Amino acid sequence: MTTIGFIGLGVMGAPMAANLVAAGYDVVGFNRSPAKVEALVAAGGRGAGSVAEAVVGADVVITVLPDSPDVEEVVLGDDGVLANAEPGALLIDMSTIRPDVARRLAEAGAERDGGGVRVLDAPVSGGEQGAIDGVLSVMVGGEAADFDAARPVFDVVGGTVVHVGPAGAGQTVKAANQLIVAGTLELVSESLVFLDAHGVDLESAVRVLSGGLAGSAVLEKKAPGMLARDFTPGFRVDLHHKDLGIAAAAAREAGVATPVGALVASLLGSLRAQGHGSLDHTALLLQTELLSGRRRPEAEGGSKGEKAD
Amino acid sequence: MTTIGFIGLGVMGAPMAANLVAAGYDVVGFNRSPAKVEALVAAGGRGAGSVAEAVVGADVVITVLPDSPDVEEVVLGDDGVLANAEPGALLIDMSTIRPDVARRLAEAGAERDGGGVRVLDAPVSGGEQGAIDGVLSVMVGGEAADFDAARPVFDVVGGTVVHVGPAGAGQTVKAANQLIVAGTLELVSESLVFLDAHGVDLESAVRVLSGGLAGSAVLEKKAPGMLARDFTPGFRVDLHHKDLGIAAAAAREAGVATPVGALVASLLGSLRAQGHGSLDHTALLLQTELLSGRRRPEAEGGSKGEKAD
Amino acid sequence: MTTIGFIGLGVMGAPMAANLVAAGYDVVGFNRSPAKVEALVAAGGRGAGSVAEAVVGADVVITVLPDSPDVEEVVLGDDGVLANAEPGALLIDMSTIRPDVARRLAEAGAERDGGGVRVLDAPVSGGEQGAIDGVLSVMVGGEAADFDAARPVFDVVGGTVVHVGPAGAGQTVKAANQLIVAGTLELVSESLVFLDAHGVDLESAVRVLSGGLAGSAVLEKKAPGMLARDFTPGFRVDLHHKDLGIAAAAAREAGVATPVGALVASLLGSLRAQGHGSLDHTALLLQTELLSGRRRPEAEGGSKGEKAD
Amino acid sequence: MTTIGFIGLGVMGAPMAANLVAAGYDVVGFNRSPAKVEALVAAGGRGAGSVAEAVVGADVVITVLPDSPDVEEVVLGDDGVLANAEPGALLIDMSTIRPDVARRLAEAGAERDGGGVRVLDAPVSGGEQGAIDGVLSVMVGGEAADFDAARPVFDVVGGTVVHVGPAGAGQTVKAANQLIVAGTLELVSESLVFLDAHGVDLESAVRVLSGGLAGSAVLEKKAPGMLARDFTPGFRVDLHHKDLGIAAAAAREAGVATPVGALVASLLGSLRAQGHGSLDHTALLLQTELLSGRRRPEAEGGSKGEKAD
């Protein structure tokens, strides 16, 4: 039986690990807060008290962490993944981080003293529900042979699994994914406020918009929560803001003009600056309302996510 | 048998009329260029030599025309629809026009001397393929009773048919639809150029992006043509530019902030100013390439749609 | 002695008329609210009870009115300027209106029954202080000979007076002026909030920015009021919003890409939608603060201009 | 007599050094390309063959270098400024670099073994002509006492010299300066193309715009070159692009919304991506023309700066 060391049991990691347990894998989970580890154990996995304990003896190590520095510390740190992984083990980083960091991890794995570790960058899209349902979109960068080896694992957590290129390519595609998602959320927000101002019934509008060329996963999966003014994350503004920073740096590096991407990043950053970093990214709706004079910040207490701040 | 006077047999109107014929309606078609009328006759419809001829005796009149002035002329003109329609006839304008013009048509219909004409604004989304397949998204404004009466007709041409509010509401929702579509095309364009600059395989990227929260009808239906550099319309930049003018005016009127919508409209207008008005709106990709130094205008001869200029 | 009929004695018109009186002209003023007329009389001018009374017998008629419809009514209306002006009189419209309306006025003047009226469009920039000091920037469209004839009058109210082209050209330049002014106000707002967030002393910063390539009339004349948080108009957001609508329409008509202009117009429209239409346009600072989470709308009572709302 | 070690004799540094020589200072210059050093010697200065040679014995060291890494290397490098400066010497970095690097240099100077070096960040604005004329705007961060000590030197090269705050504050103000300058260049570009499309005489327009609230140093000093289509630098697009990267990072760090700044940075980056990095930043005009369909890239050979590419 394949043993998987699973590091990072947050909103996304926990259901992914649970699905791997359910699929018959031997999953050894580690998380900074022990409560998350206990939940995995209750679901049939095993618990680890440290990164090292999760990694030693594992055939596959999966990391699902918030940001580049977290991954660097866990993978490259003194008693981290590379220090403890078995020779020939497969490290799959499913966090969303900088493409250059992903490339660096792949190099570090290949060059490790005492036998290389194969590394894939495999960030995901699809949200908490997609993780629970095991239908995430997984964008994978790395060697084709390593992708093939990891395929059975990916098929448990993902619905659409694609090898998009060499090390770092998965993160590059994820950066584009985040640009499109934020932009679509903003377009939907602007449209909903526009329609509301014109007295159109929003539920009907969402239904008919979804059926034509304006249809999108954002409209289908996120608009209902927006209409209900439920901004409980889901995916936090803070994290999306971080991701758009990655996209902006990568676009700048490649000399690609992303004028709309740049404006959307500015608006999402503004949402965060206004203190909404802990809300779901659909809270872009709040900002459009504010900019359109249709909502006063003091009235915000009424929306669901704000309580979660 | 219900008789339908059908005015405007262009890229969208022709397949819609043909589907109505196939569904058993008695369709009397009129178009400025007689070749289009002959095609309808060949498909089993009847031909008319004037607006009046198409309208007299019809239970339902459908108009599918390019812009507000065209509809005003055909409907309100001296020997137009209202001058000739039977009392109690149903006029369904499926063009994309200004919401205020749609409201004016509804009033003119209601107040007509010699018996009112019931008017619905019912613009569509879904493109030529959607029209051919009879799965358009139809956003309808007007009286609920009139919507119910028109429902059988809508069900022939549409897949998603929704009554969104009073007269004009259909056009308002269509304006929002066009804002979202143009914005999504721009986001996809920026992303494809970004990914190409980073050496990512674009077909793989489109596949995996489509599976997650970045997924959209644009990505599914339009990205393949963009990757093939086929900009044959489809839906012309000129028309989309017109539609965004409607959206901008309606947003301004309602005092709604649409910063991203405004920028997207500016970029689409720029594409038109560069002489690409006759290309499909997916040609936003060309502009992102140009702005990113990845394409020179003189090389444009190579793409399919340019030949159509 | 030249007699000038002066219609519109508002924030700008009143000091302009007073300067013409002081320069020795016989000025007959009319305004809807009689208090303004009395003020002119107190300053040595004469009062009129109607447009007709101000126009009959005048060599020159000057109009300084809020918007295109006002000017159309006053000039083209039943008992308006053209109905009453002496043959050969010179009509100088110094309002900021649509270029196409300016051209229409010029044609109407030329074609008037009973002898033509020569028409110039001559909008101004420089604000209330510039009007008081007689140093306005005057951008004049129309016939060169008419410009020469009007020159002595312009020299009383203006510091920089330039004939920029045929009828309408003055308004076109004014539209560009308003685009630049709004954009510069937004750039200065973004910069001040940026510098404040970094703990830089704003007065020192404004001083040194003014001395280099970032220097501008906006920075010199408007930044002090912004730092003092005094948003008493001056020039109201409502009017600037109207002007940017003119600029946007003219840019669209000419097929010119103004991406930054479009975004700035959207932001100014947003300021108005938030209920700040009666504040000075420098209130763009408030919006940047709001978007940066550095100010809550409820705290606005403290700034000077808000009282004027 | 005060001895000044002057490192970096480029477009800006050379005339600044020459002015210091003319003002009676003993200037020892170093530059990577010896030709620049010879020019300084010809002007009455002394030449150095290395950073160390320029720094040893100097009371004041001035650096004018392209970017943060250059300054880090020259100041912090093995045989760099701090390794060789006299105890108590004053280091004035007049390059445009990242505020955090400026703060780091100040700390490194204070903590230097063998006696501290006092450090000021003092970037400038005003362009080559301002440097030649000795009327630069100098924005200074650091200790007040050090600013007072450096004042005589600043007064030789600058017209407006202001102490804006602690270490790094000079660079922060310079970042804002660059945001305003780029934005104003873009606004002027959009306006000129707009006016040209409407057939307005551009020289007249620039004259009258300069006299009102739209007036700016950009309009006064840069518009003539733009009208003449002379894009010889001056200040290169590449460098301005670098500076806007600094501004964007600093705005992001502070959580300040700069939507227009973000869009302008994207447009300037696009200009660079199109291969115009070596042109003067006024070449933003070219891009607006391109986006407005009023210029084809192949026609660019005709403009002056392109030859310099």
Side-chain angles (χ1 to χ4, degrees):
Chain A
M1 190 164 80
T2 304
T3 296
I4 299 177
F6 203 110
I7 299 162
L9 299 165
V11 172
M12 296 298 285
M16 292 163 74
N19 282 333
L20 289 166
V21 169
Y25 286 96
D26 173 32
V27 180
V28 187
F30 172 71
N31 199 74
R32 256 182 238 184
S33 61
K36 305 278 190 161
V37 178
E38 287 159 26
L40 177 67
V41 171
R46 290 195 284 143
S50 68
V51 168
E53 205 180 322
V55 169
V56 170
D59 307 291
V60 173
V61 177
I62 293 177
T63 46
V64 186
L65 298 164
D67 201 354
S68 302
D70 307 297
V71 176
E72 286 180 297
E73 189 195 324
V74 162
V75 173
L76 305 175
D78 275 355
D79 200 25
V81 175
L82 291 192
N84 290 286
E86 309 297 329
L90 192 60
L91 167 60
I92 308 174
D93 177 39
M94 305 188 81
S95 322
T96 295
I97 64 170
R98 290 183 359 228
D100 61 303
V101 174
R103 283 190 292 271
R104 197 137 45 79
L105 296 181
E107 284 162 24
E111 295 165 1
R112 192 186 68 149
D113 291 341
V117 168
R118 298 171 293 158
V119 182
L120 294 170
D121 52 297
V124 301
S125 179
E128 187 181 7
Q129 195 59 50
I132 292 169
D133 298 342
V135 296
L136 292 166
S137 204
V138 190
M139 31 213 97
V140 189
E143 296 292 327
D146 299 341
F147 173 72
D148 292 341
R151 188 72 205 226
V153 170
F154 286 143
D155 283 342
V156 171
V157 299
T160 307
V161 179
V162 183
H163 181 225
V164 294
Q171 296 298 349
T172 303
V173 175
K174 180 64 191 284
N177 185 86
Q178 296 304 74
L179 187 158
I180 293 176
V181 170
T184 309
L185 282 167
E186 172 69 19
L187 291 166
V188 168
S189 295
E190 294 185 5
S191 296
L192 290 178
V193 176
F194 168 82
L195 291 169
D196 194 39
H198 280 286
V200 171
D201 176 63
L202 296 187
E203 285 194 38
S204 303
V206 166
R207 198 144 31 97
V208 76
L209 288 169
S210 297
L213 196 50
S216 63
V218 160
L219 211 45
E220 186 191 331
K221 293 182 186 157
K222 292 291 190 176
M226 293 165 88
L227 294 189
R229 320 199 67 67
D230 180 356
F231 302 115
T232 316
F235 190 66
R236 286 189 295 122
V237 167
D238 276 342
L239 284 172
H240 210 148
H241 173 69
K242 176 220 29 149
D243 293 352
L244 294 185
I246 292 172
R252 188 179 168 90
E253 179 196 325
V256 172
T258 56
V260 169
L263 179 56
V264 168
S266 175
L267 293 171
L268 196 76
S270 163
L271 189 60
R272 182 171 180 260
Q274 290 170 58
H276 299 317
S278 299
L279 293 187
D280 190 66
H281 51 174
T282 49
L284 277 167
L285 179 67
L286 294 182
Q287 179 158 274
T288 304
E289 290 179 327
L290 190 70
L291 283 172
S292 301
R294 299 182 72 78
R295 187 154 194 271
R296 296 261 134 188
E298 55 265 59
E300 274 159 24
S303 71
K304 242 174 155 180
E306 293 284 347
K307 293 173 203 154
D309 254 358
Chain B
M1 192 165 79
T2 304
T3 297
I4 299 176
F6 203 112
I7 299 161
L9 299 164
V11 171
M12 296 298 285
M16 292 163 74
N19 282 334
L20 289 166
V21 169
Y25 286 96
D26 173 33
V27 180
V28 188
F30 172 71
N31 200 73
R32 255 180 238 184
S33 62
K36 305 279 192 160
V37 178
E38 287 159 26
L40 178 67
V41 171
R46 291 193 286 144
S50 67
V51 168
E53 206 181 319
V55 169
V56 171
D59 307 293
V60 173
V61 177
I62 294 176
T63 46
V64 186
L65 297 164
D67 200 354
S68 301
D70 307 297
V71 176
E72 285 180 296
E73 190 196 323
V74 162
V75 173
L76 305 175
D78 276 355
D79 200 26
V81 174
L82 291 191
N84 291 286
E86 308 298 330
L90 192 58
L91 168 60
I92 308 173
D93 177 39
M94 304 188 82
S95 322
T96 295
I97 63 170
R98 294 192 344 238
D100 61 303
V101 174
R103 283 190 291 270
R104 196 137 46 79
L105 296 181
E107 284 162 24
E111 295 164 1
R112 191 186 71 149
D113 292 339
V117 168
R118 298 171 292 159
V119 182
L120 295 170
D121 51 297
V124 301
S125 180
E128 186 181 8
Q129 195 60 47
I132 292 168
D133 298 343
V135 296
L136 291 166
S137 203
V138 190
M139 31 212 97
V140 189
E143 296 292 326
D146 299 341
F147 173 73
D148 292 341
R151 187 74 206 224
V153 170
F154 286 142
D155 284 341
V156 171
V157 299
T160 308
V161 179
V162 184
H163 181 226
V164 294
Q171 295 298 348
T172 303
V173 175
K174 181 64 192 285
N177 185 85
Q178 295 304 75
L179 186 158
I180 294 176
V181 170
T184 309
L185 282 166
E186 172 68 19
L187 290 166
V188 168
S189 295
E190 294 184 5
S191 296
L192 290 177
V193 176
F194 168 83
L195 291 169
D196 194 39
H198 279 287
V200 171
D201 176 62
L202 296 187
E203 285 195 38
S204 303
V206 165
R207 198 145 32 94
V208 75
L209 289 169
S210 296
L213 196 50
S216 64
V218 161
L219 210 45
E220 185 189 333
K221 294 182 184 156
K222 292 292 189 175
M226 294 164 88
L227 294 189
R229 319 198 67 69
D230 180 357
F231 303 115
T232 316
F235 190 66
R236 285 189 295 120
V237 166
D238 276 344
L239 284 172
H240 210 149
H241 174 70
K242 178 221 25 151
D243 292 353
L244 294 186
I246 292 172
R252 187 179 168 89
E253 179 196 325
V256 173
T258 56
V260 169
L263 179 57
V264 168
S266 176
L267 294 171
L268 196 77
S270 164
L271 190 61
R272 181 170 181 261
Q274 289 169 59
H276 299 317
S278 298
L279 293 187
D280 190 65
H281 50 175
T282 49
L284 277 167
L285 179 67
L286 293 182
Q287 179 158 274
T288 303
E289 290 179 326
L290 191 70
L291 283 172
S292 303
R294 299 181 73 78
R295 188 156 194 271
R296 295 262 132 187
E298 55 266 60
E300 274 158 23
S303 70
K304 241 174 152 180
E306 292 285 345
K307 291 173 204 155
D309 253 358
Chain C
M1 189 165 80
T2 303
T3 296
I4 299 178
F6 202 112
I7 299 162
L9 298 166
V11 172
M12 296 298 285
M16 292 164 74
N19 282 334
L20 288 166
V21 169
Y25 285 96
D26 173 32
V27 179
V28 187
F30 172 71
N31 199 74
R32 255 180 238 184
S33 62
K36 305 280 192 159
V37 178
E38 287 159 27
L40 178 67
V41 172
R46 289 193 288 142
S50 68
V51 167
E53 207 181 319
V55 169
V56 170
D59 306 291
V60 172
V61 176
I62 293 177
T63 46
V64 185
L65 298 163
D67 200 354
S68 302
D70 308 298
V71 176
E72 286 180 295
E73 190 196 324
V74 162
V75 173
L76 305 176
D78 275 356
D79 201 24
V81 175
L82 291 192
N84 290 286
E86 309 297 331
L90 192 58
L91 168 59
I92 308 174
D93 177 39
M94 305 188 83
S95 321
T96 295
I97 63 170
R98 296 194 341 239
D100 61 303
V101 174
R103 282 190 293 271
R104 196 138 45 78
L105 295 181
E107 284 162 25
E111 295 165 0
R112 191 186 71 151
D113 292 340
V117 169
R118 299 171 292 159
V119 181
L120 295 170
D121 51 297
V124 300
S125 180
E128 187 181 6
Q129 196 59 48
I132 292 168
D133 298 342
V135 296
L136 292 166
S137 203
V138 189
M139 31 212 98
V140 189
E143 297 291 328
D146 299 340
F147 174 72
D148 292 341
R151 187 73 205 224
V153 170
F154 287 142
D155 284 341
V156 171
V157 299
T160 308
V161 179
V162 183
H163 181 224
V164 294
Q171 296 297 349
T172 302
V173 175
K174 180 65 192 283
N177 185 85
Q178 295 304 75
L179 187 158
I180 294 176
V181 169
T184 309
L185 283 166
E186 172 68 19
L187 291 166
V188 168
S189 295
E190 293 186 5
S191 296
L192 290 178
V193 176
F194 168 83
L195 291 169
D196 194 39
H198 279 287
V200 171
D201 176 64
L202 296 187
E203 284 194 38
S204 302
V206 165
R207 197 144 32 95
V208 74
L209 289 168
S210 297
L213 195 50
S216 64
V218 161
L219 211 45
E220 186 189 332
K221 294 182 185 156
K222 291 290 189 175
M226 293 165 89
L227 294 189
R229 319 200 67 67
D230 180 357
F231 303 114
T232 316
F235 189 67
R236 286 188 296 120
V237 167
D238 276 344
L239 284 172
H240 210 148
H241 174 69
K242 178 224 20 155
D243 293 352
L244 294 187
I246 293 172
R252 188 178 167 89
E253 180 196 326
V256 173
T258 55
V260 169
L263 178 57
V264 168
S266 175
L267 293 171
L268 196 77
S270 164
L271 190 61
R272 182 169 179 260
Q274 290 169 59
H276 300 315
S278 298
L279 294 188
D280 190 64
H281 50 175
T282 48
L284 277 167
L285 179 66
L286 294 182
Q287 179 157 273
T288 303
E289 289 178 327
L290 192 69
L291 283 172
S292 302
R294 300 182 72 78
R295 186 154 195 272
R296 295 263 134 187
E298 55 266 59
E300 273 158 25
S303 71
K304 239 174 154 179
E306 293 283 345
K307 292 176 207 155
D309 251 359
Chain D
M1 190 164 80
T2 303
T3 297
I4 299 178
F6 202 110
I7 300 161
L9 300 165
V11 173
M12 296 297 286
M16 291 163 75
N19 282 334
L20 288 165
V21 169
Y25 285 96
D26 173 33
V27 180
V28 187
F30 172 72
N31 200 72
R32 257 181 238 184
S33 62
K36 305 279 192 159
V37 178
E38 286 159 27
L40 177 67
V41 172
R46 290 193 287 143
S50 67
V51 168
E53 204 181 320
V55 169
V56 170
D59 306 292
V60 173
V61 177
I62 294 177
T63 45
V64 185
L65 298 163
D67 201 353
S68 302
D70 308 297
V71 176
E72 286 180 297
E73 190 195 324
V74 163
V75 173
L76 305 174
D78 276 355
D79 200 26
V81 176
L82 291 191
N84 289 286
E86 307 298 331
L90 192 58
L91 167 59
I92 308 174
D93 177 39
M94 305 188 82
S95 321
T96 295
I97 64 170
R98 292 189 350 234
D100 61 304
V101 173
R103 282 191 293 270
R104 196 137 47 78
L105 295 181
E107 283 162 23
E111 295 165 0
R112 193 186 69 150
D113 292 339
V117 168
R118 299 172 291 158
V119 182
L120 295 169
D121 51 297
V124 301
S125 180
E128 186 180 7
Q129 195 59 48
I132 292 168
D133 299 342
V135 296
L136 291 167
S137 203
V138 189
M139 32 212 96
V140 189
E143 297 291 327
D146 299 340
F147 173 73
D148 292 342
R151 186 74 204 227
V153 169
F154 286 141
D155 283 341
V156 171
V157 299
T160 308
V161 179
V162 182
H163 181 225
V164 293
Q171 296 297 349
T172 302
V173 175
K174 181 64 191 286
N177 184 86
Q178 295 304 75
L179 186 159
I180 293 175
V181 170
T184 309
L185 282 166
E186 172 69 18
L187 290 166
V188 167
S189 294
E190 293 185 5
S191 295
L192 290 177
V193 176
F194 168 84
L195 291 169
D196 195 39
H198 280 286
V200 170
D201 177 63
L202 296 187
E203 285 194 38
S204 303
V206 165
R207 197 145 31 96
V208 75
L209 287 170
S210 297
L213 195 51
S216 64
V218 160
L219 212 45
E220 186 190 331
K221 293 181 186 157
K222 292 291 189 174
M226 293 165 88
L227 295 188
R229 317 200 68 66
D230 180 357
F231 302 114
T232 316
F235 189 66
R236 287 188 295 121
V237 166
D238 276 343
L239 284 172
H240 209 149
H241 173 70
K242 178 219 30 149
D243 293 352
L244 294 186
I246 293 172
R252 188 180 168 87
E253 179 196 327
V256 172
T258 56
V260 168
L263 179 57
V264 168
S266 175
L267 294 171
L268 196 77
S270 163
L271 190 61
R272 182 169 180 262
Q274 290 170 60
H276 299 317
S278 299
L279 294 187
D280 190 66
H281 50 174
T282 48
L284 277 168
L285 180 67
L286 293 181
Q287 180 157 272
T288 304
E289 290 179 327
L290 191 69
L291 283 173
S292 303
R294 300 182 71 79
R295 186 152 195 273
R296 296 261 134 189
E298 55 266 60
E300 273 159 25
S303 71
K304 242 175 155 178
E306 293 285 343
K307 292 173 205 155
D309 253 356

